[in-house]
Each structure stands twice: as C-alpha cells, then as structure tokens.
Amino acid sequence: MAKPILIANWKNHPGSLKEAENILSKISRNRRSYEKINLFIAPPHPYLAAVSSRTGSLFKLACQDMPALVKETSTGSVMPDILKSFGVRLSIIGHSEVRAQGETSEIVSQKVATALSAGIAPLVCIGEKERDRDGEQFGFLRDEIGRSLSSLKDGDAQKLVLAYEPIWAVGKDALGVIEPGDLSQTVIFIKRVLADIFGREMADKIPILYGGSVDSSNTRELVHNTGVRGLLVGRASLDASSLKTIAESLIEKE
Ligand code: PGA
C-alpha cells in the first residue's frame, strides 16, 4: 500500500523567511511522525530555496501553481524548469483561490500538461461552491474533473493526484468541514468518474485527497473509512504541532 500523502499548502504565509525557517526546524524535530507518510511542503516562491535545502527523507518540495504556457520571456512567471531546478516534485493546480481569479478548467488542463512535460506531478484541485440536497454538485464535479483532466493521456494518469476541496469548506473553522458520510459518498463518485475516463484499474491507483478546514481535531474522522488517501492542509500546516497530529492520524488510518 502506498504511503498516505500530506500536502502543506502554506499559501502566502508565513510573513518572513525567518518564520519559515522556524517552522521547518520544528517540523524536522518531529521527524519520526512523518516516516510513514509522503509529506510535501508547498511554500511561497521566495522560500523555495529554504525549503529545498531541507528536503530529503523528511519531506519533498511542492509548488502552489504552474504557468499554463511555457514562454521564452514572461515577466512575473516562474517557469517549470526553474521550479524543477529547486527540486519541486509536485504542483498544486486549479486551487479554488486561483480559479476564483478567472482560471478555467481549460487553463487547469493546460497547466497539467505543462507540469507533466517538466516532470512535475500534477495535484489537481476540484470542488463545488455549494452542496445541495438534490446532489447538483455531482454533475458539477463530473464536468469539472473531465475538463480539468482533458489534456491528460492515459499513460500519465498514474502521475496524477486529485484533491477534493469543496469551496464552501476551505478556510473555515474545524466545524465547517465536510461530514465524513458526505465525504465518502463523494470519493466513491469521483472514483466512478475517473473510472469512466481512465478505466477502473487506473482509477483505483489515483490518490484522492481531501482539503478544506482540516486541523488536528477533525483529521481522524475525515480519513477513517472515507476512502481518502491523504490531505491538503492550509492554515493548520503552518503550525508544526498541528501538522504532527494530522500526520499521526493519517498513519493510524493505515
Ligand atoms: P484550509 O485551506 O486548510 O486553510 O481550509 C486548504 C486549502 O486551501 O488548500
């Protein structure tokens, strides 16, 4: 069985390199808690070097976005070969906070292709804005998954990681999180959509993560029997002790 995946999405935090180094030192002190998981840290770009210098058996480096197109000159963009040279192994793509700025699923699909051609694994985020009793979100999710993965060739599907992040649950408090029953139902649905696209055997290999207000108090119920193979964690990942508890809950699940 592959190790559970834990992604620390630092977003635009912490506020200084010194604080970033401080968090990394604290994470390193809890080394044993991360031995049985695949931990990725996705820092803001200016901290890539600091995180990169500490990668190794404890954690790997991820980035928070990918350019859609590789251009020779592009002011303000960080091209995938630069990210790769820092040791970036995985890229978050299609995060709801980026989609909210106008990123369409077609652009997400281009970013997936860019990541793969640079040898960086795409972690594609999908998730509905609202959940309703009639299950309207399922149609939305099917469409969003299909369009976001439209550039992906069958042979590359095994490099894909999918994160289900319902937008209504991102950045809320621990109680704003999804009900475990709703989560397992959605994971089953996502697997079915992936099976329709790539076939059952491949779909079973694609890890599905959950993200949205995960913290040390709710991890256990989110990962127990829900079918998720890991977590994408925002705020709580900046706190070394919360991250440690989350990692330990992921291991207990195994
Ligand atoms: P949150 O963020 O854990 O702070 O809700 C998750 C995310 O946006 O990836």
Side-chain angles (χ1 to χ4, degrees):
M1 194 70 181
K3 289 179 178 179
I5 301 169
L6 177 57
I7 317 280
N9 177 13
W10 282 6
K11 306 192 181 187
N12 51 338
H13 302 287
S16 70
L17 177 60
K18 199 162 171 233
E19 286 169 85
E21 282 177 335
N22 194 16
I23 297 170
L24 292 169
S25 300
K26 288 187 184 157
I27 292 175
S28 303
R29 269 182 237 139
N30 301 329
R31 174 169 293 277
R32 295 198 57 189
S33 305
Y34 302 106
E35 274 167 3
K36 294 194 177 134
I37 63 167
N38 259 323
L39 173 64
F40 288 85
I41 296 185
H45 281 159
Y47 307 153
L48 279 175
V51 180
S52 174
S53 68
R54 294 182 186 240
T55 52
S57 58
L58 183 58
F59 55 79
K60 301 179 187 74
L61 186 60
C63 60
Q64 299 176 12
D65 200 7
M66 240 323 106
L69 298 172
V70 177
K71 294 187 190 152
E72 216 162 282
T73 53
S74 179
T75 304
S77 313
V78 181
M79 288 295 124
D81 52 346
I82 299 178
L83 295 165
K84 185 83 181 164
S85 74
F86 276 93
V88 166
R89 308 268 290 268
L90 172 143
S91 175
I92 299 172
I93 298 176
H95 191 280
S96 57
E97 288 159 5
V98 184
R99 288 186 189 256
Q101 292 164 28
E103 183 187 70
T104 60
S105 291
E106 285 64 36
I107 298 175
V108 170
S109 161
Q110 286 177 349
K111 291 181 174 184
V112 169
T114 303
L116 284 167
S117 59
I120 295 174
L123 163 72
V124 176
C125 301
I126 47 127
E128 75 280 2
K129 279 204 184 79
E130 289 168 355
R131 221 181 157 77
D132 73 23
R133 290 215 191 111
D134 299 331
E136 297 263 332
Q137 67 274 9
F138 291 117
F140 173 85
L141 287 173
R142 178 178 285 280
D143 181 63
E144 190 174 54
I145 294 169
R147 288 194 291 124
S148 301
L149 303 183
S150 60
S151 67
L152 198 69
K153 307 204 174 62
D154 283 359
D156 284 330
Q158 60 198 357
K159 298 174 192 146
L160 173 72
V161 182
L162 209 73
Y164 170 56
E165 285 213 319
I167 298 173
W168 51 266
V170 172
K172 301 287 178 332
D173 58 24
L175 296 173
V177 87
I178 193 167
E179 290 290 326
D182 290 339
L183 178 56
S184 49
Q185 190 188 26
T186 309
V187 170
I188 292 169
F189 176 77
I190 292 171
K191 278 192 181 156
R192 198 183 311 145
V193 174
L194 292 174
D196 289 346
I197 304 175
F198 302 112
R200 166 68 52 203
E201 204 181 318
M202 180 56 77
D204 283 343
K205 291 188 188 143
I206 300 172
I208 300 173
L209 316 188
Y210 169 79
S213 299
V214 174
D215 76 8
S216 52
S217 70
N218 59 24
T219 307
R220 203 160 276 127
E221 61 188 44
L222 288 169
V223 298
H224 187 69
N225 283 336
T226 54
V228 298
R229 304 243 293 267
L231 296 166
L232 174 55
V233 185
R235 283 155 307 158
S237 71
L238 290 150
D239 179 272
S241 111
S242 296
L243 194 67
K244 173 178 184 286
T245 310
I246 292 168
E248 286 166 356
S249 304
L250 263 176
I251 298 163
E252 276 169 31
K253 153 189 151 39
E254 293 306 291

